Amino acid sequence: MTVSSRSPGLSRPRWWGRVAWGYGMASPWIIGFLVFTLGPMIASVYFSLSEYSVLKPARFIGVENFARMFSNDPRYWISIYNTAYYTVLQVPLGIVVALAIAILLNQGLKGENLFRTAYYMPSVVSGVAVSMLWLWLFDPTLGLVNDVLARLGISGPRWLQDPAWSKPALVLMSVFGIGGTMVIFLAGLQGIPESLYEAAMVDGANWWQKTRNITIPMITPTIFFNLVMGFIGSFQVFTQAYVMTNGGPVNSTLFYVLYLYQNAFRFFKMGYASAMAWVLFFIVLALTLVQFRLAGRWVYYEAAAPTAGR
């Protein structure tokens, strides 16, 4: 039996008129997507296979950009290492801290709305402004961080001026902007049925047992979402390194996107930068697919209640 997509009672001209009206209303987004997203993506595929310096026409060279990237560019592998290092530290730390704060702010305490706003606000501040603030905080002689450590009898490192501490410094700085992740965790926590906690209290469960056996399993979909978004975001880290260190010292903060930017807009190797962009796309895609593949082993989705009459 064929099911028509046309609404009952509408003649064909009127139905097509409504379809045309709908597409007309959506046309600004459709045009914007074609011109500013899909078009540049298609162009970047061609540029990635070309030698293109912006000032001269693109010259097709096949896969030479990719061959050079993998075999003849040591700074490329440095950028891969720096980005992986940052991701491995920043994503788990951000999730743990955001979840801990969300749990604390979900206790129904007095003034919790004020605290929620205070913790969320840094995540909407300009990345450049935040970077300038932390540039002062991490100053080895005048910065607040080393001043506090000195009062505790600890000699603070040189932070952004030391290759061994520059990446950990940026990881610590990233915790300042976990407000968005915290809000998502709060939404997940508020979706947990209160009856589960009441039943656990009747059984004599303490706070840690309720957290481990109820809270964590029930918000695993939220943890999974934040994990995927965290990996995607960490592989695109750029503003902090660009403003605060410009890749230094000694290339210790030369992250992938920063190196891509340098190739495109400092060295005018737009073809090489386009090739790097597509490699980054496939790296992020592969990591995301792996996470989705592994999600079935630890992500718990509550079964929907059966519909009456079934």
Side-chain angles (χ1 to χ4, degrees):
M1 183 177 68
T2 302
V3 179
S4 175
S5 60
R6 190 172 60 193
S7 301
L10 285 180
S11 63
R12 184 174 294 274
R14 289 186 61 191
W15 184 79
W16 279 110
R18 290 196 175 187
V19 171
W21 179 257
Y23 279 109
M25 296 297 291
S27 61
W29 182 89
I30 295 173
I31 294 172
F33 172 76
L34 294 176
V35 174
F36 297 111
T37 302
L38 185 60
M41 287 180 65
I42 296 173
S44 72
V45 173
Y46 174 73
F47 291 146
S48 69
L49 302 172
S50 307
E51 182 182 355
Y52 181 43
S53 63
V54 181
L55 303 176
K56 298 179 181 180
R59 181 174 65 88
F60 184 80
I61 58 174
V63 296
E64 287 186 22
N65 285 327
F66 296 94
R68 177 195 163 199
M69 188 186 310
F70 296 128
S71 62
N72 196 29
D73 186 359
R75 297 186 77 213
Y76 174 81
W77 292 106
I78 291 174
S79 72
I80 286 282
Y81 169 77
N82 290 338
T83 306
Y85 182 105
Y86 178 86
T87 299
V88 169
L89 291 183
Q90 189 272 332
V91 174
L93 178 64
I95 287 179
V96 169
V97 174
L99 178 57
I101 294 175
I103 292 175
L104 291 174
L105 296 179
N106 194 48
Q107 303 300 313
L109 302 177
K110 184 177 180 180
E112 64 180 11
N113 289 334
L114 176 63
F115 286 105
R116 290 176 182 178
T117 303
Y119 278 106
Y120 178 72
M121 283 298 293
S123 64
V124 299
V125 177
S126 165
V128 174
V130 172
S131 298
M132 295 303 295
L133 170 65
W134 281 88
L135 196 60
W136 171 74
L137 292 174
F138 282 132
D139 187 282
T141 56
L142 303 175
L144 182 61
V145 175
N146 276 5
D147 181 65
V148 172
L149 292 176
R151 293 174 186 273
L152 298 174
I154 302 173
S155 178
R158 297 187 63 80
W159 296 112
L160 299 172
Q161 299 177 19
D162 185 346
W165 283 95
S166 55
K167 286 189 288 291
L170 294 180
V171 171
L172 291 175
M173 171 187 164
S174 69
V175 178
F176 187 70
I178 60 171
T181 305
M182 179 207 68
V183 168
I184 295 173
F185 274 131
L186 271 173
L189 290 171
Q190 293 175 3
I192 301 176
E194 192 65 29
S195 59
L196 296 178
Y197 293 110
E198 294 172 354
M201 289 178 63
V202 171
D203 291 337
N206 57 32
W207 177 85
W208 170 244
Q209 290 172 329
K210 288 188 289 185
T211 301
R212 186 184 64 180
N213 298 312
I214 298 176
T215 304
I216 301 299
M218 290 297 290
I219 63 168
T220 47
T222 310
I223 296 174
F224 174 65
F225 173 82
N226 283 327
L227 185 66
V228 171
M229 299 305 295
F231 267 96
I232 294 173
S234 64
F235 266 86
Q236 300 179 55
V237 59
F238 168 77
T239 305
Q240 305 93 307
Y242 178 73
V243 173
M244 301 172 71
T245 62
N246 199 26
V250 199
N251 291 327
S252 61
T253 59
L254 182 67
F255 296 119
Y256 195 102
V257 176
L258 176 60
Y259 187 46
L260 189 157
Y261 169 86
Q262 291 178 349
N263 276 287
F265 299 105
R266 179 183 295 181
F267 309 134
F268 293 103
K269 298 178 181 178
M270 192 65 71
Y272 189 68
S274 297
M276 287 185 63
W278 278 104
V279 171
L280 176 62
F281 169 78
F282 285 111
I283 290 174
V284 173
L285 177 63
L287 288 173
T288 303
L289 291 176
V290 168
Q291 291 179 80
F292 271 92
R293 190 66 179 264
L294 297 176
R297 301 182 180 181
W298 63 276
V299 179
Y300 167 76
Y301 292 99
E302 184 180 9
T307 304
R310 288 189 178 181

